[in-house]
């Protein structure tokens, strides 16, 4: 009997001898400290957790322990199960390190949950199919539906559902797909977290309101990008804000080099009815630069975007169907278009700086769609803009307006602008009329204990540092062999990246190539140019080795000590082919899926190419 009692104490609470040793299937229902060391705990089933924390007013301290869910860190696409489930109120999880799971920590219906000083890196991420040369549409994500908890199937470091007044502080997540996914979580706080170099979403909100996210670093949460080849993003984002998530504050965050820096969509219920939206969010004093797609996307909603920095994106702000919104005091530079709003109404654009953008402000509509719920329920004409006190410099076009009514523009400054206004059919009014915009808000006071984490690595501030491998964005802490597709589409020029600040030494192991010179190319990069095969078919595996002068970390989170040799391989395949391509247009009567009649006429265009790679949104 005494032996049984001692065993139960070991499995469920603090043992008399000291901290608990965790085992699979354990339930923790008291405040405990977990024994130091690495504990391999495979979840018993894909939908169950290795450990259940259950009860109220608990503190569970994992500060010297690591939970491991898989013995093969090189296949994160096969990770399954959950490390921790939490059920209870006023629970604090401290210092948890968990890797190798589909979800590291999952909690539901837990009020006042606190996650403090946790590192939940290197959990689930899928193997991506897109290559440096071509996007694969299978890599696109969709988070649009979550009424039945669909988000949990995407995996994440943290999944919280109905966890009001949560606190997440000093959380680190890298080398995964998704960081923190929040469903129906209100009035929480997240600060001083570093969620960077993941292949999906940094922080996602669904029906979650009244929260604050401040002083977090969410850089390089990205997929679907190859600089100079395609920039799609595939719905990756640093912040994802969906379906009636309102009255949140996002301030002082770094969210650069992500698919979208900030992606807000009103939700399917708004699309169907025209009602609601992700409204009255304050997005202030953040850095959303170097997104392949949009620095900020806000659609079908009313929000305030103030004092943000947005450089080097496709669109600085994409604000389709935004209404009663405030876009003021933002810093735009070198975007293809700084602000693009279709079908917007009653928006304020004031005191922004535009420098080197292709177009400063683009306002327009594409007809008035009325065959869907939103279009039937609302007036979607582009109208009622107040544009004043903006400074436009060094750009082709400052203001481009099409099919927009009642635009008030005043006291804007144009400096080295080729065309201050590119105007179609629209009217300029001395006063755009009464507005229903909320009163302007100021950036809230910073929290005294909130600090923006340092970046994982020091990289140049440019979009070209995004390199997405089959396992997600490369974090420059390990060596990488990468084709220089932007300057040499043939694939013969390879770029060799040593870890940032750790030059080390490269060696070519392929016998036929050992005498090739490895050239210095700047910024810690070296270059290797493969010999031409004179237009012949080539299929050449290339094996290289690298050893560093300093410790490093590989793509799967494993430490690489000084001098340890890292094996790398790259397969160069080249087929000398020429494709003669003809394009035909068709209507219902000549649909090529039903008849070959379409090919009886003359092609509308023809071309000769060496790759069949026609982008879905290209010419």
């Amino acid at each position: 009997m005494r032996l049984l009692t001692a065993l139960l104490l070991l499995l469920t609470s603090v043992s008399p001898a000291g901290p608990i040793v965790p085992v699979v299937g354990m339930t923790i229902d008291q405040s405990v400290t977990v024994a130091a060391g690495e504990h391999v705990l495979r979840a018993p089933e894909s939908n169950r957790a290795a450990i259940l924390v259950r009860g109220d007013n608990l503190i569970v301290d994992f500060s010297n322990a690591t939970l491991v869910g898989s013995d093969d860190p090189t296949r994160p696409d096969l990770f399954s199960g959950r490390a921790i489930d939490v059920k209870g109120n006023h629970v604090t999880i401290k210092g948890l390190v968990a890797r190798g799971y589909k979800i590291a920590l999952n909690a539901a219906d837990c009020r006042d949950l606190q996650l403090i000083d946790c590192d939940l890196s290197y959990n689930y991420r899928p193997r991506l199919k897109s290559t440096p040369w071509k996007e694969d549409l299978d890599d696109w994500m969709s988070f649009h539906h979550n009424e039945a908890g669909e988000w949990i199937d995407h995996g994440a470091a943290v999944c919280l559902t109905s966890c009001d007044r949560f606190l997440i502080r000093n959380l680190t997540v890298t080398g995964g797909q998704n960081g923190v996914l929040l469903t129906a979580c209100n009035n929480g706080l997240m600060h001083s977290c570093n969620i960077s170099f993941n292949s999906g979403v940094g922080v996602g909100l669904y029906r979650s309101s009244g929260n604050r996210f401040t002083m977090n670093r969410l850089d390089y949460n990205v997929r679907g990008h190859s600089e100079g080849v395609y920039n799609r993003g595939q719905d990756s984002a640093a912040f994802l804000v969906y379906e009636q998530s309102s009255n949140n504050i996002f301030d002082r965050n770094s969210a650069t080099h992500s698919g979208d820096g900030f992606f807000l969509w009103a939700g399917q219920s708004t699309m169907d009815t025209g009602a609601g939206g992700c409204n009255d969010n304050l997005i202030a004093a953040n850095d959303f630069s170097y997104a392949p797609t949009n620095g900020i996307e806000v659609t079908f909603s009313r929000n305030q975007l103030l004092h943000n920095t947005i450089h080097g994106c496709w669109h600085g702000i994409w604000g389709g169907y935004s209404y009663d919104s405030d876009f003021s005091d933002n810093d735009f530079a070198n975007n293809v278009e700084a602000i693009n709003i279709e079908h917007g109404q009653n928006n304020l654009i004031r005191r922004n700086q535009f420098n080197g953008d292709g177009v400063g402000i683009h306002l327009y509509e594409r007809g008035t769609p009325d065959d869907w719920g939103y279009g039937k329920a609302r007036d979607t004409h582009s109208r009622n803009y107040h544009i004043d006190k903006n400074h436009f410099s060094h750009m082709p076009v400052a203001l481009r307006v099409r099919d927009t009514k009642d635009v008030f523009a005043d006291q804007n400054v144009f400096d080295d602008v080729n065309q201050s206004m590119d105007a179609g059919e629209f009217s300029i009014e001395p006063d755009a009329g009464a507005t229903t915009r909320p009163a302007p808000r100021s950036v809230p006071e910073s929290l005294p204990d909130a600090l923006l984490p340092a970046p994982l690595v020091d990289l140049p501030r440019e979009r070209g540092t995004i390199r997405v491998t089959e396992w997600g964005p490369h974090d420059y802490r390990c060596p990488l062999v990468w084709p220089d597709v932007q300057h040499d589409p043939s694939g013969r020029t390879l770029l060799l990246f040593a870890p940032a600040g750790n030059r080390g030494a490269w060696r070519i192991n392929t016998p036929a190539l050992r005498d090739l010179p490895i050239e210095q190319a700047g910024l810690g990069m070296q270059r290797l140019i493969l010999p031409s095969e004179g237009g012949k078919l080539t299929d050449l595996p290339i094996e290289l080795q690298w050893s560093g002068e300093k410790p490093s970390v590989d793509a799967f989170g494993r430490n690489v000590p000084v001098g340890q040799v890292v094996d790398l391989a790259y397969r160069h395949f080249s087929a000398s082919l020429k494709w003669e391509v003809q394009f035909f247009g068709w209507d219902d009567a000549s649909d090529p899926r039903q008849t070959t009649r379409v090919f009886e006429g003359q092609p509308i265009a023809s071309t000769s190419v060496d790759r069949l790679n026609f982008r879905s949104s290209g010419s």
Side-chain angles (χ1 to χ4, degrees):
M1 185 67 179
R2 290 181 180 177
L3 178 61
L4 177 60
T5 302
L7 180 60
L8 290 173
L9 282 170
L10 177 65
L11 294 179
T12 60
S13 65
V14 179
S15 72
I20 64 165
V21 177
V23 296
V24 172
M26 168 182 285
T27 296
I28 297 175
D29 57 9
Q30 299 182 32
S31 294
V32 296
T33 297
V34 176
E38 185 173 285
H39 307 283
V40 178
L41 301 179
R42 295 181 182 86
E45 298 174 11
S46 61
N47 64 344
R48 290 181 58 195
I51 296 176
L52 171 62
V53 176
R54 182 175 60 195
D56 296 340
N57 305 306
L58 304 182
I59 299 175
V60 183
D61 190 345
F62 290 87
S63 295
N64 297 302
T66 298
L67 306 185
V68 180
S70 171
D71 55 6
D72 185 2
T74 67
R75 290 302 305 271
D77 55 326
L78 301 180
F79 292 169
S80 64
R82 304 193 290 269
I84 305 288
D85 274 354
V86 182
K87 298 183 183 299
N89 300 316
H90 299 277
V91 175
T92 297
I93 305 292
K94 293 177 58 178
L96 173 63
V97 178
R99 63 177 187 265
Y101 297 92
K102 185 72 175 284
I103 296 170
L105 186 140
N106 178 67
D109 301 307
C110 300
R111 295 187 303 276
D112 301 291
L113 173 67
Q114 297 193 13
L115 306 180
I116 309 297
D117 301 332
C118 297
D119 187 339
L120 305 181
S121 301
Y122 301 104
N123 288 290
Y124 172 80
R125 50 182 158 158
R127 198 169 200 159
L128 302 177
K129 298 179 181 179
S130 299
T131 71
W133 291 277
K134 187 175 182 180
E135 176 193 19
D136 192 306
L137 298 182
D138 283 352
D139 290 340
W140 274 86
M141 299 184 298
S142 177
F143 286 81
H144 292 70
H145 301 285
N146 191 34
E147 295 300 304
E150 292 88 347
W151 277 17
I152 202 167
D153 294 332
H154 293 283
V158 176
C159 279
L160 303 185
T161 303
S162 300
C163 294
D164 290 351
R165 299 190 301 274
F166 64 84
L167 171 64
I168 303 176
R169 186 181 75 208
N170 296 339
L171 170 67
T172 300
V173 181
T174 191
Q177 176 170 245
N178 300 314
V180 177
L181 299 182
L182 304 171
T183 302
C185 296
N186 304 308
N187 304 313
L189 172 63
M190 175 175 170
H191 72 83
S192 309
C193 299
N194 193 340
I195 302 177
S196 301
F197 293 99
N198 302 287
S199 65
V201 171
V203 175
L205 285 73
Y206 193 93
R207 294 191 183 274
S208 296
S209 299
N211 304 290
R212 184 177 180 185
F213 304 86
T214 182
M215 298 293 278
N216 299 291
R217 183 173 296 279
L218 290 84
D219 301 336
Y220 291 89
N221 294 290
V222 63
R223 63 168 69 186
H225 178 72
S226 180
E227 185 67 18
V229 182
Y230 59 88
N231 57 308
R232 305 282 280 163
Q234 297 171 332
D235 278 359
S236 59
F239 285 107
L240 183 73
V241 182
Y242 269 18
E243 191 62 68
Q244 319 308 313
S245 294
S246 299
N247 295 294
N248 298 288
I249 298 174
F250 305 86
D251 69 287
R252 299 177 175 86
N253 302 287
S254 176
T256 69
H257 300 86
S258 295
D260 280 347
F262 189 96
F263 182 6
L264 178 149
W265 178 64
Q268 192 59 49
S269 58
T270 297
M271 299 301 97
D272 294 339
T273 67
C278 289
N279 295 325
D280 302 319
N281 295 287
L282 175 61
I283 306 158
N286 305 283
D287 189 349
F288 295 120
S289 299
Y290 310 111
T293 49
N294 309 308
I296 300 175
E297 178 172 343
V298 283
T299 55
F300 302 95
S301 300
R302 175 185 65 238
N303 294 286
Q304 294 187 312
L305 290 67
L306 314 174
H307 299 282
N308 299 289
T309 299
I310 312 173
H311 295 181
C313 303
W314 178 23
H315 297 102
I317 293 175
W318 179 282
Y321 293 82
S322 287
Y323 60 91
D324 298 344
S325 292
D326 187 346
F327 306 86
S328 296
D329 300 295
N330 300 289
D331 175 9
F332 300 93
N334 303 315
N335 304 286
V336 176
E337 292 188 330
I339 297 178
N340 180 304
I341 305 176
E342 59 173 324
H343 293 274
Q345 305 97 35
N346 194 31
N347 295 312
L348 173 66
I349 304 176
R350 172 177 288 173
R351 294 189 305 270
N352 298 284
Q353 297 288 326
F354 301 90
N355 182 28
D357 304 290
V359 176
I361 301 171
H362 187 188
L363 311 175
Y364 59 103
E365 66 176 49
R366 311 186 207 209
T368 53
D370 57 4
D371 57 347
W372 52 315
Y374 192 93
K376 292 177 181 178
R378 304 179 67 109
D379 177 3
T380 61
H381 285 292
S382 181
R383 57 181 169 79
N384 290 88
Y385 281 89
H386 195 114
I387 303 172
D388 70 335
K389 301 182 180 67
N390 300 286
H391 185 190
F392 302 87
S393 61
H394 310 293
M395 63 180 58
V397 178
L399 181 60
R400 175 171 288 161
V401 181
R402 294 287 188 277
D403 301 315
T404 300
K405 296 181 179 180
D406 299 330
V407 177
F408 172 62
D410 187 38
Q411 298 184 61
N412 297 293
V413 177
F414 305 95
D415 179 18
D416 191 20
V417 173
N418 293 350
Q419 193 173 3
S420 60
M421 189 170 295
D422 175 12
E425 293 185 7
F426 81 106
S427 60
I428 296 181
E429 302 293 335
D431 185 350
T435 69
T436 57
R437 285 186 299 272
R441 297 159 74 182
S442 58
V443 181
E445 292 292 326
S446 59
L447 299 178
D449 60 341
L451 297 173
L452 183 67
L456 285 183
V457 291
D458 240 347
L459 297 173
R461 281 182 60 82
E462 58 186 46
R463 202 173 69 184
T465 55
I466 299 173
R467 288 182 169 83
V468 182
T469 74
E470 64 180 343
W471 295 117
H474 178 63
D475 68 4
Y476 295 89
R477 294 191 294 171
C478 59
L480 174 71
V481 180
W482 195 254
D484 189 5
V485 290
Q486 189 173 0
H487 302 104
D488 182 5
S490 74
R492 286 196 305 272
T493 301
L494 303 183
L495 303 176
L496 309 181
F497 292 90
N502 187 0
R503 292 186 59 179
W506 289 92
R507 172 187 169 89
I508 302 172
N509 276 359
T510 306
L513 303 175
R514 279 181 181 159
D515 294 332
L516 285 180
I518 296 177
E519 306 170 355
Q520 297 295 327
L523 294 176
M525 177 175 62
Q526 293 170 283
R527 181 184 292 116
L528 175 65
I529 301 177
L530 304 178
S532 171
E533 295 297 321
K536 298 178 183 178
L537 175 70
T538 60
D539 188 0
L540 180 63
I542 303 163
E543 297 179 353
L544 301 101
Q545 290 183 329
W546 177 86
S547 59
E549 299 171 352
K550 301 176 183 178
S552 59
V553 178
D554 76 5
F556 304 102
R558 298 174 297 187
N559 292 320
V560 180
V562 174
Q564 178 175 314
V565 173
V566 178
D567 294 313
L568 297 104
Y570 174 83
R571 187 175 181 181
H572 171 68
F573 176 82
S574 175
S576 180
L577 299 173
K578 284 293 182 184
W579 297 89
E580 301 299 330
V581 184
Q582 295 180 329
F583 298 87
F584 294 84
W586 76 85
D587 55 22
D588 290 343
S590 60
D591 187 333
R593 294 168 294 185
Q594 307 296 331
T595 175
T596 60
R597 189 181 309 160
V598 63
F599 303 113
E600 296 173 358
Q602 292 298 312
I604 59 176
S606 60
T607 187
S608 177
V609 296
D610 58 5
R611 291 177 184 272
L612 291 178
N613 185 11
F614 296 98
R615 297 187 302 167
S616 61
S617 61
S619 58

